[in-house]
Amino acid sequence: MSSVKIELRKDQIEKIHEICKSFNYEGGELINVLHKCQHEFGYLPAEIQEVVAEQLKLSVAKVYGVVTFYSFFSMIPKGKFPISICTGTACYVRGAENVLAEFKKQLKIEVGETSPDGKFSLSCLRCVGACGLAPVVLVGEKTFGRVAPDGVKAILAEFEQ
Amino acid sequence: MDQIKLTIDGKAVEVPKGTTIYKAAKSLGIDIPILCYMDLKGLNIENKPGGCRICVVEVEGRRNLASSCSTDVSEGMVVKTSTIRVLNARRTVMELILSDHPKDCLTCAKSGKCDLQDMAIKLGIRNIPGQEFAEMSTYRLDTSPSIIRDMDKCIMCRRCETMCNDFQTVGALSAVNRGFMSVVAPAFEMNLEHSPCTYCGQCVAVCPTGALTEVDHTRNVIAALSDPTKTVIVQTAPAVRAALGEEFGLEPGTLVTGKMVTALRTLGFDYVFDTDFAADLTIMEEGSELLGRLGKFIAGDKDVKLPILTSCCPAWVNFFEHNFPDMKDIPSTARSPQQMFGSIAKTYFADKIGVKREDLIVVSIMPCLAKKYECQRDEFSVDGNPDVDFSISTRELGFLIKQANIQFNGLPDEDFDKPMGESTGAAVIFGTTGGVIEAAARTAYELHTGNTLTNVDFKELRGLEGIRHATIDFGGFPLKIGIAHGLGNARKLLEDIKAGRSEFHAIEIMACPGGCIGGGGQPLHHGDSTILKARAKAIYAEDESKTLRKSHENPYIIKLYEEFLGKPLSEKAHHLLHTHYFDKSKNTFSI
Ligand code: SF4
Ligand code: SF4
Ligand code: FES
């Protein structure tokens, strides 16, 4: 998994300590602790995982193992406009994969990555319950339906300014 | 305890509640094939992820096959372990495991000792359907000073994780990612070298495939041996002689000291020496250190650092450098026997035979993978020339002997060369848990009390319990000794010291189960404590067979001090035989 290197400020470290404390430093609460941290910081860089491991007395490897197991957790900050492409069955059947490929091509990033300017990040999700609109793409708060590869450019342009 | 009655393959059996089908079958002599499951009885370690499903059996009344290693028996259960359905399922499971597994068995380091290969043979796999479409795993190779990780060959049995996390409490490894991408890796998929790994090699010792193997230095050794400008000498660690025979089909616990010496001479080493010589030297230095600290303590000095901890195990040294850096001033500063040997060889001995340091190659045969790393540490080299050039494992020596077409079992017994091949019984027992401290006690007792020990056997220090303690009467002073093997056990003793709860004066620690006899470089013991016991017995037998059994009586050690070092803890001894430790706790991703 790719990641960025950061330095945590003192108040950020204290925030993590606080979260761990609120779960009684229980190793069994790791997932909940990570959840809270991601909510607080937006993502889970290595530095945060190390503090969590140290507080819950778990190995860093174990924490990383959990972070990489659940696709909900991310080690890179999401873009200003996170793009999610539904790859649930209906969307998949109606060509979501080609749409995804086009986004990757346009943005020159992979799933789970963020564009260098921090504007867009790319992820996949399973069925958003709008199968009638398949294939569905979410950009930030906005939903796009019946997206075809040749419409990708226009969608991005909408957020470019 | 509640008993459960069931039938397996038509045979009735009664087992305690909570027994797995696998174990119940075993009690009937039925060996259900297993792959991920691992039961290290002697160490109280069980790996039961229930992941591979090779062990499936049919249970009457159940629709699905059950994995026998992780399913408990129930009253009246009717189990069939070898029906056509079971055999077909096992074969399919195996084909799936093999579908993305590299097919380079011929050149794989584990070939011939691989559980996966054995299982393919056992299940009669002749082709792997669909493999032309299968995506192959591709993961970068991670080479550290001691261990190679080739995750393409990982089958996710997670045995390594169990050893590293549960037994050693190191936590260098964890299953990461999901689905096809899942592997066992250090945090952030960094290289092992940047993780808290101690190179104990216990993960390598249990990995069923070629995913984890040792860095092979046999080629370097062969190259050195065939270079006419080099004088090549070898040292053999005490535990090697008690296990090497197993590589040639001999019973565990067969002592092969003499054959090993002959084999090494046949391989072309110019001098065949013994690490035991350096173990005697270690006792002189470490024992004097112990007596020094003890003397101050008895005199009422409150600041003296006690307990003193042994420092011969390099995995243990790595462990405390990573986990307890604030306590790095309490272990003995004595270098390990491997390093003392190298240091003396490249000064005293090189001088004696008139060979330049650069032209003398020191090879060590070790039961250990951490020794490979240890001999590469900067502090153990002079102007870039290491004191010990190559460290190879007992298993690697086995390969070398086989490659050279030496018929090991038929070899006559020969003796080590002088002077660095002479040793006492005290040095031999370094190979097993409790041995280092017993050897130290023999010498320290006599030096401290001035009396001669009538009985040199401190039996209270022996055994396979993970943590042991004993009190020895040191001429009126009750010397309290603690012993731990396995880093999880060591951690407990260290936490006690940290919390001020420890009452010991001296503690011996070895990272591997049983001590060096169960080292990560030994013939694989699969956690079988009967094998470990047999090896320990062989070690004690060799000790008993020696005329000299106290390190300070080794005539060549006495001579070494007279001619070269002066006395224990002298300035020269400090320079050549002692070391210092580093804080490695920050050696991770960010902090
Ligand atoms: S060598 Fe020892 S410490 Fe390192 S990963 Fe393997 S089991 Fe863990
Ligand atoms: S590296 Fe070896 S021991 Fe570890 S999970 Fe993979 S196959 Fe099992
Ligand atoms: S051996 Fe039982 S599931 Fe692997």
Side-chain angles (χ1 to χ4, degrees), chain A residues 82-119:
Chain A
I83 303 172
S84 311
I85 293 142
C86 178
T87 48
T89 316
C91 290
Y92 191 85
V93 171
R94 305 201 51 174
E97 210 175 3
N98 297 335
V99 176
L100 174 62
E102 187 59 25
F103 272 110
K104 285 194 202 167
K105 199 171 130 202
Q106 293 287 334
L107 294 169
K108 298 191 183 62
I109 57 173
E110 287 297 311
V111 172
E113 292 182 351
T114 301
S115 59
D117 60 3
K119 211 161 217 169

Side-chain angles (χ1 to χ4, degrees), chain A residues 5 46 49-50 61 64 68-69, chain B residues 177-178 188-189 589-591:
Chain A
K5 216 166 153 64
Q49 296 179 40
E50 287 188 334
Y64 176 76
T68 53
F69 186 81
Chain B
N177 302 330
R178 58 191 312 184
F188 317 121
E189 287 163 71
F589 185 73
S590 63
I591 323 179

Side-chain angles (χ1 to χ4, degrees), chain B residues 147 160 163-164 168 170 172-173 192 197-204:
Chain B
I147 292 169
C160 54
M163 289 314 278
C164 192
Q168 299 294 44
V170 168
L173 299 172
L192 206 54
C197 171
T198 66
Y199 302 131
C200 73
Q202 288 303 314
C203 54
V204 176

Side-chain angles (χ1 to χ4, degrees), chain B residues 69-106:
Chain B
C69 73
S70 52
T71 308
D72 285 355
V73 295
S74 59
E75 190 60 40
M77 210 180 217
V78 178
V79 178
K80 295 193 183 111
T81 71
S82 303
T83 61
I84 287 289
R85 186 171 163 221
V86 163
L87 297 185
N88 282 342
R90 279 189 197 141
R91 196 170 305 120
T92 307
V93 164
M94 194 59 189
E95 286 166 358
L96 283 172
I97 295 173
L98 292 178
S99 67
D100 74 333
H101 194 88
K103 313 286 186 294
D104 60 352
C105 272
L106 280 175

Side-chain angles (χ1 to χ4, degrees), chain A residues 8 22 25 35 39 43 52 58 62 66 75 78 86-87 89-90 101 114 119 136 150 159:
Chain A
L8 290 174
S22 72
Y25 305 106
H35 210 116
H39 186 76
Y43 69 118
V52 168
L58 296 169
K62 181 110 251 153
V66 169
M75 281 182 66
K78 285 235 159 51
C86 178
T87 48
T89 316
T114 301
K119 211 161 217 169
V136 176
D150 56 10
F159 297 88

Side-chain angles (χ1 to χ4, degrees), chain B residues 167-190:
Chain B
F167 184 67
Q168 299 294 44
T169 66
V170 168
L173 299 172
S174 172
V176 306
N177 302 330
R178 58 191 312 184
F180 186 72
M181 293 304 293
S182 58
V183 288
V184 169
F188 317 121
E189 287 163 71
M190 288 181 304

